[in-house]
Amino acid sequence: QVHLVESGGGLVQAGGSLRLSCAGSGGTLGTYSTGWFRQAPGKEREFVAAISWAGDRTYYAASVLGRFTISRDYAKNTVYLQMNELKPDDTAVYYCAADPRMITENTGWNEYSYRGQGTQVTVSS
């Protein structure tokens, strides 16, 4: 079992960068595949990026490929989402989720065993 807490959200201008953190507690996040999702106002929650527990496989939504990078720090029990070249369309609440099984870009939010509460990202134009 692992408890997830997201942080790092905030207000940034278009073209700027943010790094989100997903910190695990009560368990070793490094043994879980971890994903990031986001939900904009009035829209469904969507997949953003995911990383295998070994860190050898990463997956990205087409809309963020080349701009966002997911990574993990085993020593800090944390998974990061580095977001560059942010656009107003990236405005959303960002959530992380973890699961002990293998995941892909097609693994849905509700399929993850553990889910965080989210952090707001707002990109101004």
Side-chain angles (χ1 to χ4, degrees), residues 18-34:
L18 282 174
R19 188 179 76 162
L20 305 184
S21 299
C22 173
S25 62
T28 304
L29 190 56
T31 62
Y32 293 84
S33 299
T34 306

Side-chain angles (χ1 to χ4, degrees), residues 29-67:
L29 190 56
T31 62
Y32 293 84
S33 299
T34 306
W36 283 96
F37 291 77
R38 67 186 181 186
Q39 187 167 20
K43 296 186 178 180
E44 293 188 355
R45 200 182 319 251
E46 63 177 2
F47 169 79
V48 176
I51 187 167
S52 62
W53 66 267
D56 57 345
R57 289 185 298 273
T58 57
Y59 308 90
Y60 295 95
S63 59
V64 307
L65 186 64
R67 300 188 299 123

Side-chain angles (χ1 to χ4, degrees), residues 56-98:
D56 57 345
R57 289 185 298 273
T58 57
Y59 308 90
Y60 295 95
S63 59
V64 307
L65 186 64
R67 300 188 299 123
F68 291 11
T69 302
I70 190 170
S71 62
R72 59 166 75 244
D73 185 326
Y74 293 94
K76 295 184 177 181
N77 213 30
T78 299
V79 170
Y80 300 102
L81 184 68
Q82 177 67 45
M83 306 187 297
N84 298 329
E85 300 176 33
L86 283 161
K87 306 174 182 179
D89 284 348
D90 295 318
T91 295
V93 177
Y94 284 70
Y95 302 87
C96 67

